Amino acid sequence: MRVAPLPSNEDERISALHKLNILDTENEERFDRITRLAARMFSCEFSTISFIDVDRQWFKSAVNLGLCETPRSSSFCSHTILRHEVFVVNDTLENENFCDNPFVINAPFIRFYAGIKLSIEGLHVGSLCVFDSTPGTFNDEQAKALTDLACIVEDELIKDKTLSSKLVSLRLQKKLEEAQKLARVRDVLLEKVVNSLSLHPVLTEIVDTVEQEYKGQYCSILLLDGTTLTLGAGPSLPDFYNDAINGVEIGIGQGSCGTTAFTGKRTIVDDISTHPYWKNWAHLAEKAGLAACWSEPIKSADGKILGSFAIYHPNKVFPSGEELQRIEQFAHVASIAIERYRASELIWRQANFDELTQLPNRSVMQEHLKQSLNTANRNKTLVAVMFIDLDNFKDINDTLGHGAGDELLIACSQRIKSNIREKDIVARLGGDEFIVIVNDIVQASDINIIANKLIEEIRQEFPLQDGVVYTSASIGVTVYPNDANSVEELLKNADQAMYGAKKIGKNKFHYYTKDMQELALKRMTLISDMRSAIINEEFFVLYQPIYDLKSGKIAKAEALIRWRHPIHGIVGPFDFIPLAEETGLINAISNWVFKDVCKRVCYWREHYLPDLQICINTSPLQYIDGKEGIESWLDYMQISQTPPQAIVLEITERLLMEADTKVSDTLTHFRAAGVQVALDDFGTGYSSISYLQKFTTDIIKIDKSFVHSISDANINKTLCEIIVMLGNKLNLKVVAEGIETNDQNKIIQSLHCDFGQGYLFSKPITYEEFTSLISHKKTS
């Protein structure tokens, strides 16, 4: 038999009942009339109007029941007063809470019960009920009728206007006092929230304040972390209990709080010992002296679940309306504290940590470096600053997408962090650049060990979602106090040393040296000068003829850009093209070259060589930048009326290695328009032949490294022969570059190569010289 728990407002309820002065009074026809009517209306053998006293149920009126009172513990009506609606038990023998009740197994052998509470100013003092010795049902219309009869009973109870007025006044006074108290507590809590700098102390203060104002209850705040609840505050609960619930998985049946956090709804458990939600936790609650638990979800402003606010009672108790309002208010205050703290924490993290990798950012790194220098100065030790730049990261980003690039940066940051010492620091500057601060160095050789370890770890494969990616790192190293004494100087030195590592072949580390500053200054000056070189008309194009080896006539020419620097003289493309690619100036320079070539070739085709083609070298970056890049060339050919057959795009294996759908589509558009494509430096890559399967080209150019050392007796002749045969099989024209001697020319011709290019025929010459050359060839 289940004993009904006490209402949470039991003292107030008993006080209101006693003020009615109705207990132990004589029977009254006005009430008997109602019970007789109820018995007839619902075809039940019994009907009563009863009042629930401290430990008894007393009957003011009863039909067919020869009792004046019963123990409260066995009364059905003690359950009824806990509810706002009609309480119905269709068959007591089928209900585990009542099947062994003494009034079920003994006279009057109750099998069916329906009751509704009787309220005086919101306090449930008793009930009107009907019951029978056979099972039954109760529909909505019957429930409404029983409720109406209960209202008549309540009207009879408060006919004494003085008593009614007094009770109403008392109730309103108590409501006002409760509202004032709740407002006072809420204001105190909000002030603590505003003044607190950390979360857990303010949550503890919230709990302490609530427990002090509302005696006889214990509070707990749990925070949702993923799918588990962690302890926010519960100072009055036993340590063993807090330890047990800390980290509990949320879900229906995981106690009151686990259920609330899972459903997002309030969970009221008035009897922990019997409630199914507490099946796995009831023994723990009993040990802690907890009998009831009411849990309210803590929600953010957008409705997201942040945790739960729970009130525990040592007795079995059901909350009143005021108490439900109270717990809702406390949960709201807790949500304000949690959201304020998390917002402050987010702002702090965003200001100090990189959002993607969660590493310290530049500002935090600089503060760490300052502290490291101060410590090293006191301890007479060294500090190394390592500037790490990932090799070819932009290519990975452009070809595989920013998602893959972000994955790589996260994985790389984790790999760096796991391969330095605990006392060292890694930070992300932005892009693919990282800084490692190596502290407390006694032996300079330790720097080499760490740098080599990082180089080796970063060069290993990175398994990403879309496959495996390889990269490497160029690391610049500078040492305090050997190289500089300030944070700014050390960072600048490390940056310059990193470029030194790039220059010697990447995947290496390089120490800062004094002459790097001069080289860095020269590099910056060259970049600055390059920006104005187009405006000042300092660039010019040379043309190296390409001869048809069968006819001996000029068929093509390769356009080669040069820079006539006003101070340094002629600057070759190997010195400025990489800088142009790095700074993004490559598009502007290449577009200028293309327009100049279009103007020249149109003139030459019209006056001298109608089938002349000019080969133009292209950079991978030109295929990425859309209308600012190479895609604009097709439009310009139409505007300038340059025949598409007059232009050959020279691409390298590097471009094909980095090619994505956009590159392939761009090349297809050019070939569809009539522009031919030549694969330059053929044979030097790892998989040149495989690219011929993926990308359709028109011309392959044998790299000059094969031609320079060609002879009848070495392997280079065989390689060149294979390339020529491959070209013939694939209907591709073949150009041999770098022919400088008659012997080389004879061998190349013997292989039936289509075209030859090199100093034997002509060095790169100016527009005027090329014009003179082809005009002479035409007249001769």
Side-chain angles (χ1 to χ4, degrees):
M1 179 185 71
R2 181 182 179 225
V3 177
L6 297 177
S8 61
N9 55 4
E10 176 69 359
D11 292 343
E12 296 174 63
R13 193 190 65 79
I14 293 296
S15 176
L17 172 62
H18 289 177
K19 287 178 181 177
L20 287 173
N21 293 317
I22 198 170
L23 294 175
D24 300 315
T25 59
E26 298 291 332
N27 290 356
E28 295 180 60
E29 180 60 21
R30 57 178 179 154
F31 294 116
D32 292 342
R33 189 181 303 115
I34 296 172
T35 53
R36 289 195 300 271
L37 178 60
R40 289 196 300 270
M41 284 181 65
F42 305 110
S43 302
C44 287
E45 184 180 359
F46 308 98
S47 176
T48 68
I49 295 172
S50 65
F51 297 94
I52 305 300
D53 200 359
V54 176
D55 55 5
R56 64 172 177 159
Q57 175 182 227
W58 179 80
F59 300 104
K60 176 64 178 174
S61 175
V63 174
N64 296 327
L65 187 69
L67 296 172
C68 294
E69 65 182 48
T70 68
R72 177 175 176 172
S73 60
S74 58
S75 72
F76 282 66
C77 294
S78 62
H79 294 272
T80 301
I81 66 171
L82 296 175
R83 290 165 172 78
H84 292 278
E85 296 81 22
V86 174
F87 176 54
V88 178
V89 181
N90 294 317
D91 189 346
T92 57
L93 292 180
E94 298 295 327
N95 190 302
E96 62 179 8
N97 293 323
F98 299 98
C99 61
D100 57 349
N101 187 286
F103 296 105
V104 173
I105 59 179
N106 300 306
F109 302 104
I110 299 172
R111 291 290 298 278
F112 168 79
Y113 172 90
I116 180 70
K117 46 75 182 174
L118 298 174
S119 299
I120 298 300
E121 294 303 320
L123 297 168
H124 304 175
V125 295
S127 70
L128 167 65
C129 70
V130 293
F131 48 99
D132 205 271
S133 57
T134 60
T137 59
F138 217 64
N139 60 35
D140 291 341
E141 286 296 318
Q142 290 173 313
K144 185 176 185 304
L146 185 64
T147 303
D148 290 340
L149 288 177
C151 290
I152 296 173
V153 176
E154 290 172 350
D155 289 340
E156 292 295 324
L157 291 174
I158 60 174
K159 273 186 175 179
D160 185 339
K161 300 294 184 180
T162 304
L163 175 62
S164 175
S165 176
K166 184 177 180 181
L167 288 172
V168 170
S169 176
L170 178 64
R171 186 65 178 163
L172 290 177
Q173 178 65 27
K174 288 190 72 65
K175 281 189 175 182
L176 177 61
E177 291 175 356
E178 171 65 21
Q180 291 174 337
K181 182 177 181 179
L182 183 59
R184 183 177 69 254
V185 173
R186 186 180 62 243
D187 291 344
V188 170
L189 294 178
L190 288 175
E191 184 178 357
K192 291 179 178 180
V193 169
V194 171
N195 294 330
S196 179
L197 296 178
S198 55
L199 182 59
H200 289 283
V202 73
L203 295 182
T204 300
E205 288 197 49
I206 291 174
V207 168
D208 284 340
T209 302
V210 172
E211 291 178 348
Q212 289 172 11
E213 289 289 342
Y214 300 94
K215 303 293 185 181
Q217 60 187 23
Y218 313 111
C219 299
S220 169
I221 296 176
L222 299 179
L223 304 177
L224 184 60
D225 183 8
T227 60
T228 61
L229 290 171
T230 60
L231 183 64
S236 297
L237 296 172
D239 289 341
F240 72 85
Y241 185 82
N242 283 333
D243 292 340
I245 64 174
N246 187 32
V248 66
E249 285 281 337
I250 64 172
I252 295 176
Q254 291 289 74
S256 299
C257 295
T259 302
T260 286
F262 183 78
T263 62
K265 298 178 181 179
R266 178 187 300 147
T267 303
I268 301 299
V269 173
D270 56 11
D271 185 354
I272 289 176
S273 64
T274 60
H275 200 285
Y277 287 176
W278 282 82
K279 180 179 179 182
N280 297 325
W281 308 91
H283 67 287
L284 195 71
E286 182 180 8
K287 182 180 177 182
L290 308 175
C293 179
W294 317 332
S295 181
E296 181 78 13
I298 301 173
K299 297 183 179 181
S300 65
D302 60 359
K304 182 180 179 182
I305 303 300
L306 303 176
S308 66
F309 186 98
I311 292 180
Y312 294 88
H313 281 269
N315 301 313
K316 301 171 184 177
V317 61
F318 199 86
S320 65
E322 290 85 355
E323 286 172 316
L324 293 178
Q325 180 185 9
R326 193 186 304 160
I327 190 174
E328 187 176 350
Q329 289 281 330
F330 298 152
H332 180 62
V333 172
S335 74
I336 294 173
I338 295 168
E339 287 201 280
R340 180 180 181 273
Y341 171 76
R342 290 183 177 177
S344 300
E345 187 180 47
L346 177 61
I347 292 171
W348 181 81
R349 286 201 66 83
Q350 288 176 339
N352 294 281
F353 287 82
D354 173 57
E355 184 176 358
L356 178 66
T357 63
Q358 300 303 308
L359 294 178
N361 61 14
R362 179 185 290 270
S363 61
V364 175
M365 177 273 296
Q366 288 177 325
E367 287 302 315
H368 279 302
L369 185 51
K370 286 180 183 177
Q371 295 174 15
S372 296
L373 301 188
N374 292 334
T375 302
N377 194 44
R378 289 194 306 269
N379 298 340
K380 306 302 180 184
T381 55
L382 304 176
V383 175
V385 178
M386 296 183 177
F387 194 116
I388 302 177
D389 183 272
L390 301 186
D391 299 326
N392 305 319
F393 174 75
K394 187 177 187 304
D395 300 334
I396 294 172
N397 222 17
D398 292 338
T399 55
L400 299 182
H402 292 286
D406 287 348
E407 280 189 69
L408 177 59
L409 288 173
I410 294 170
C412 191
S413 67
Q414 293 170 348
R415 196 170 289 186
I416 294 172
K417 191 172 182 179
S418 63
N419 282 281
I420 59 176
R421 303 169 305 176
E422 286 189 12
K423 58 185 174 182
D424 300 332
I425 297 158
V426 57
R428 184 188 177 205
L429 297 188
D432 60 335
E433 297 176 340
F434 300 87
I435 287 287
V436 172
I437 301 171
V438 185
N439 293 303
D440 196 27
I441 300 170
V442 179
Q443 296 180 344
S445 58
D446 292 344
I447 302 173
N448 290 6
I449 295 172
I450 295 173
N452 278 316
K453 188 176 182 182
L454 292 174
I455 290 287
E456 180 61 26
E457 288 294 327
I458 294 173
R459 69 186 292 269
Q460 303 301 318
E461 66 178 33
F462 285 88
L464 303 183
Q465 188 173 4
D466 296 329
V468 173
V469 171
Y470 289 89
T471 187
S472 57
S474 296
I475 303 179
V477 183
T478 189
V479 180
Y480 170 87
N482 302 1
D483 300 329
N485 292 310
S486 69
V487 169
E488 294 75 14
E489 287 289 325
L490 288 167
L491 293 176
K492 184 176 71 173
N493 291 351
D495 185 30
Q496 293 172 5
M498 182 273 294
Y499 279 104
K502 294 272 189 189
K503 199 168 184 179
I504 60 175
K506 303 179 181 179
N507 193 35
K508 294 177 175 61
F509 71 93
H510 196 286
Y511 280 95
Y512 169 79
T513 58
K514 296 297 182 183
D515 58 352
M516 283 184 174
Q517 190 167 2
E518 183 179 341
L519 291 174
L521 183 60
K522 180 181 178 181
R523 178 175 173 275
M524 291 175 60
T525 303
L526 200 62
I527 292 173
S528 177
D529 292 346
M530 189 165 46
R531 295 185 185 279
S532 58
I534 296 177
I535 300 173
N536 297 336
E537 298 182 351
E538 295 171 11
F539 289 115
F540 64 98
V541 179
L542 298 179
Y543 296 88
Q544 186 170 32
I546 299 174
Y547 282 78
D548 185 323
L549 294 179
K550 293 179 182 177
S551 67
K553 295 181 179 180
I554 296 174
K556 313 175 191 296
E558 182 176 356
L560 302 165
I561 188 172
R562 299 291 185 268
W563 179 9
R564 186 180 289 107
H565 194 280
I567 298 174
H568 304 300
I570 302 300
V571 180
F574 292 109
D575 292 323
F576 70 85
I577 290 297
L579 289 180
E581 290 181 326
E582 182 185 321
T583 57
L585 292 172
I586 190 65
N587 280 328
I589 294 173
S590 297
N591 291 344
W592 177 86
V593 170
F594 177 71
K595 292 176 182 179
D596 189 71
V597 166
C598 286
K599 180 172 61 175
R600 308 300 189 192
V601 75
C602 287
Y603 175 80
W604 288 329
R605 285 172 69 97
E606 181 181 354
H607 292 90
Y608 304 110
L609 297 176
D611 297 324
L612 180 66
Q613 290 182 309
I614 303 297
C615 302
I616 303 176
N617 293 287
T618 60
S619 164
L621 297 179
Q622 293 175 257
Y623 293 82
I624 295 171
D625 293 337
K627 289 297 182 181
E628 295 297 320
I630 203 167
E631 290 181 16
S632 64
W633 289 12
L634 286 174
D635 296 334
Y636 185 78
M637 281 193 287
Q638 289 184 336
I639 296 171
S640 63
Q641 296 184 339
T642 303
Q645 297 79 11
I647 301 297
V648 176
L649 301 183
E650 287 202 9
I651 61 176
T652 62
E653 185 177 321
R654 173 191 166 198
L655 171 63
L656 299 185
M657 287 176 64
E658 301 163 357
D660 57 8
T661 305
K662 182 176 178 60
V663 173
S664 179
D665 291 345
T666 302
L667 291 174
T668 300
H669 291 159
F670 271 92
R671 294 191 75 252
V675 177
Q676 290 190 336
V677 175
L679 181 54
D680 198 12
D681 302 332
F682 188 81
T684 58
Y686 292 104
S687 51
S688 298
I689 295 177
S690 67
Y691 290 123
L692 294 179
Q693 295 176 309
K694 298 179 182 179
F695 301 92
T696 305
T697 57
D698 303 281
I699 301 168
I700 53 178
K701 301 184 74 175
I702 302 174
D703 188 70
K704 58 187 176 183
S705 62
F706 295 112
V707 178
H708 279 172
S709 56
I710 195 170
S711 70
D712 287 322
N714 67 15
I715 194 173
N716 282 353
K717 178 183 177 181
T718 303
L719 292 174
C720 290
E721 184 176 10
I722 291 172
I723 294 173
V724 172
M725 290 174 60
L726 179 65
N728 292 335
K729 292 291 184 181
L730 298 176
N731 294 319
L732 304 176
K733 297 298 182 182
V734 181
V735 179
E737 296 183 295
I739 300 175
E740 297 183 355
T741 67
N742 286 320
D743 289 340
Q744 293 169 355
N745 187 35
K746 288 177 181 179
I747 295 173
I748 291 297
Q749 286 189 357
S750 71
L751 300 178
H752 304 292
C753 185
D754 299 298
F755 302 100
Q757 176 182 353
Y759 274 43
L760 175 65
F761 306 111
S762 173
K763 66 179 182 178
I765 55 179
T766 64
Y767 161 72
E768 292 80 10
E769 290 172 330
F770 189 80
T771 302
S772 175
L773 177 63
I774 60 177
S775 64
H776 176 71
K777 293 287 185 182
K778 182 178 181 182
T779 58
S780 60

